[in-house]
Structures are given as C-alpha cells and as structure tokens.
Amino acid sequence: MDLATQKKDLIKWIHTIEDATILKKLESIKLEETFDFDKEWERGVSIEDARIKSKEFIKSLPWKK
C-alpha cells in the first residue's frame, strides 16, 4: 500500500471516530515532537530491573505469601 492510499484510509477512519478519548490521543500524537531515540533509551528500564521490580510487586500482593 502506498503512502497516498494509507493517508486516504486514515482520513476516512478518522472521520468515523466518535470517541473523544481516541480523538484526544490522535491529537496528542499530532502535536508530539519527533521521536528522540536516545532520550527514550535513557528513560527505559533494563530487563533485569524489570524482573526485580516484577518479583517485588508479586511478593507484595496480599494473596501471595
């Protein structure tokens, strides 16, 4: 599918949206600055940190002892 066809399909779809939440999300995407991979990388969590935090969370649940 070429870019022009994709744009037409998106425009048609946007015209059918009636959910305000989805429209707000689309508007926020439109207003976003370009994606900065390096900045997002710094904000990321390593797999090991995610594992540790997940285990701590599971252990903190009242039903898990």
Side-chain angles (χ1 to χ4, degrees), residues 8-56:
K8 286 180 186 179
D9 287 345
L10 282 172
I11 291 168
K12 287 179 188 176
W13 174 71
I14 289 170
H15 282 8
T16 65
I17 297 172
E18 295 180 6
D19 186 338
T21 306
I22 294 173
L23 290 172
K24 283 191 178 250
K25 179 64 178 168
L26 288 172
E27 186 175 358
S28 72
I29 291 170
K30 181 181 88 172
L31 297 175
E32 282 182 4
E33 295 180 19
T34 58
F35 183 79
D36 184 350
F37 181 81
D38 292 328
K39 182 179 172 184
E40 294 299 323
W41 184 262
E42 290 173 10
R43 292 179 43 199
V45 177
S46 73
I47 285 291
E48 191 57 36
D49 287 341
R51 285 183 184 134
I52 291 168
K53 289 179 182 181
S54 296
K55 287 178 183 179
E56 289 172 357

Side-chain angles (χ1 to χ4, degrees), residues 53-64:
K53 289 179 182 181
S54 296
K55 287 178 183 179
E56 289 172 357
F57 173 74
I58 292 170
K59 288 178 183 178
S60 74
L61 295 174
W63 53 270
K64 181 68 177 171

